[in-house]
Amino acid sequence: MKKITVENVVRTFSLKIVAGESKLQKVITQSRVHRPGLEFVGHFDFFPTERVQILGKKEITYLHKLSKEERKIRIGNIVKYHPPCFIVTAGEEGLTYLTHHCIQEGIPLLVTKEPESTSEFITKLDAYLVKELAPEIAVHGVCLNVSGIGILLRGQSGVGKSETAHTLIRRGHRLVADDIVVLKKLSAQTILGTHDEKTREFLALRSIGLLNVVRLYGRKAFQDETRIALEINLTKWEKDALYNDLDQEFHHTDFMGVKIPSIEIQLQPGRDVAGLIEAAANNWYLRQQGYIAAEEFMSRIEAENASK
């Protein structure tokens, strides 16, 4: 199971540390946060104790209205479960009582530097946690964003993946990762492609060497991540291995339980492989919109036959 620490969250969101500074190495293992509403009124049957606890204006206002003794009981009932941390989005005024409990139990108490919408902060933090804690694997290949569509380019070493990627970059598309592509499973339907930091912005070309695509072609040549929509396998040319069917059905490749559509493009001198990849990406997009060229073609044939 992947883990991140409270300190990672503090740095990412520039949070102010009110209490528990020595406990910032506490581990976060859950990718969703929790607002303790029912718990403050005594219902703990489904209390997700391993989640980050968020206190917004609603929760803080409720606590302020309680008597000193009642507030002590309500907060004490929650802190005894030792969640990873509390994050307050409604400012830090009047939090002395909460600070005291967090110091006693060794729980980090954090505050956003500027009071902000609790729902907006939760959306940002949830997205961060989902991405950071997502199951991931590394695969050999090249990841690109072609016309807004995430492409995972696969094939044997030396087949020409990086060279093809370079042509696509020069045509205005974007590199995400070369050689080692990190795939993260964000949901049952979503695989995110990214780099492993070491190879960020780099493209390796045989006979040329290592290129920094941002230095060569500007910021538009690179992006950090993309949702993988299509896998394209580059293979060596085999005579009579391809069929000129009107509509090629997608095969699928399974990555961590997520099935990604996959097609094969064979390589041959003079073949515009980059152009074929652009066509494949745009054709995939049209299919998502419900348009299939072969169906329109057949409907024209049927209409012509019916008119005879």
Side-chain angles (χ1 to χ4, degrees):
M1 180 182 293
K2 293 187 64 178
K3 299 177 181 177
I4 61 174
T5 65
V6 174
E7 186 176 16
N8 296 139
V9 174
V10 170
R11 289 201 307 264
T12 302
F13 293 94
S14 301
L15 301 176
K16 181 177 180 179
I17 305 167
V18 178
E21 187 168 4
S22 64
K23 302 294 183 179
L24 296 184
Q25 294 308 310
K26 291 187 72 170
V27 170
I28 300 171
T29 59
Q30 297 297 310
S31 58
R32 299 290 180 185
V33 302
H34 178 68
R35 296 182 74 172
L38 289 174
E39 291 76 20
F40 277 134
V41 295
H43 295 281
F44 289 90
D45 291 346
F46 303 101
F47 183 31
T49 58
E50 296 180 352
R51 295 186 185 183
V52 172
Q53 304 297 312
I54 304 294
L55 303 177
K57 187 175 182 179
K58 180 172 61 177
E59 291 80 14
I60 295 300
T61 300
Y62 171 77
L63 291 174
H64 284 344
K65 290 181 178 180
L66 299 176
S67 67
K68 183 177 179 180
E69 286 303 315
E70 191 174 8
R71 189 162 55 222
K72 180 179 179 181
I73 294 171
R74 301 292 189 191
I75 297 174
N77 286 338
I78 289 181
V79 297
K80 70 181 182 182
Y81 288 98
H82 294 93
C85 65
F86 289 98
I87 301 178
V88 179
T89 63
E92 57 186 301
E93 293 182 8
L95 295 184
T96 306
Y97 55 85
L98 188 55
T99 303
H100 174 73
H101 280 279
C102 287
I103 291 174
Q104 272 193 330
E105 297 293 335
I107 302 171
L109 175 59
L110 315 169
V111 179
T112 55
K113 289 194 173 179
E114 295 293 334
E116 61 177 298
S117 164
T118 304
S119 59
E120 289 180 2
F121 180 76
I122 287 175
T123 298
K124 291 189 294 185
L125 182 54
D126 271 347
Y128 167 78
L129 293 175
V130 166
K131 188 181 298 183
E132 291 300 313
L133 294 172
E136 66 179 47
I137 58 173
V139 300
H140 179 67
V142 181
C143 185
L144 299 142
N145 185 282
V146 177
S147 301
I149 297 162
I151 301 293
L152 179 60
L153 212 55
R154 307 291 299 281
Q156 293 183 351
S157 180
V159 78
K161 298 182 297 296
S162 297
E163 290 81 355
T164 301
H166 180 253
T167 301
L168 287 163
I169 292 166
R170 291 193 62 196
R171 292 187 180 187
H173 306 294
R174 296 177 176 180
L175 174 71
V176 175
D178 180 42
D179 189 31
I180 299 298
V181 181
V182 177
L183 300 179
K184 296 189 175 190
K185 181 181 178 180
L186 299 190
S187 73
Q189 298 82 34
T190 305
I191 293 290
L192 189 75
T194 187
H195 49 79
D196 66 353
E197 290 296 337
K198 297 188 296 293
T199 60
R200 188 177 190 272
E201 301 177 357
F202 288 127
L203 182 70
L205 297 180
R206 279 179 167 77
S207 303
I208 303 297
L210 205 59
L211 305 180
N212 185 309
V213 298
V214 172
R215 295 295 183 94
L216 280 176
Y217 302 115
R219 293 301 316 169
K220 63 180 176 56
F222 175 81
Q223 68 182 56
D224 270 309
E225 58 192 32
T226 188
R227 177 179 177 176
I228 302 297
L230 183 63
E231 177 194 56
I232 297 179
N233 286 287
L234 300 184
T235 61
K236 294 181 179 179
W237 181 268
E238 293 182 23
K239 188 177 180 181
D240 300 326
L242 296 180
Y243 300 95
N244 192 28
D245 294 337
L246 293 179
D247 188 32
Q248 296 285 342
E249 288 190 9
F250 286 114
H251 297 286
H252 290 83
T253 301
D254 187 293
F255 295 106
M256 296 176 285
V258 181
K259 294 188 182 299
I260 301 296
S262 178
I263 65 171
E264 175 186 348
I265 294 179
Q266 290 194 3
L267 305 177
Q268 187 182 48
R271 204 170 193 216
D272 182 10
V273 178
L276 291 174
I277 291 173
E278 289 175 322
N282 291 324
N283 194 48
W284 174 89
Y285 175 79
L286 288 175
R287 291 177 73 101
Q288 305 314 298
Q289 307 307 306
Y291 174 80
I292 299 177
E295 291 182 356
E296 181 180 358
F297 177 76
M298 292 306 299
S299 67
R300 292 182 184 181
I301 298 296
E302 290 170 2
E304 182 178 343
N305 291 336
S307 64
K308 291 181 180 179

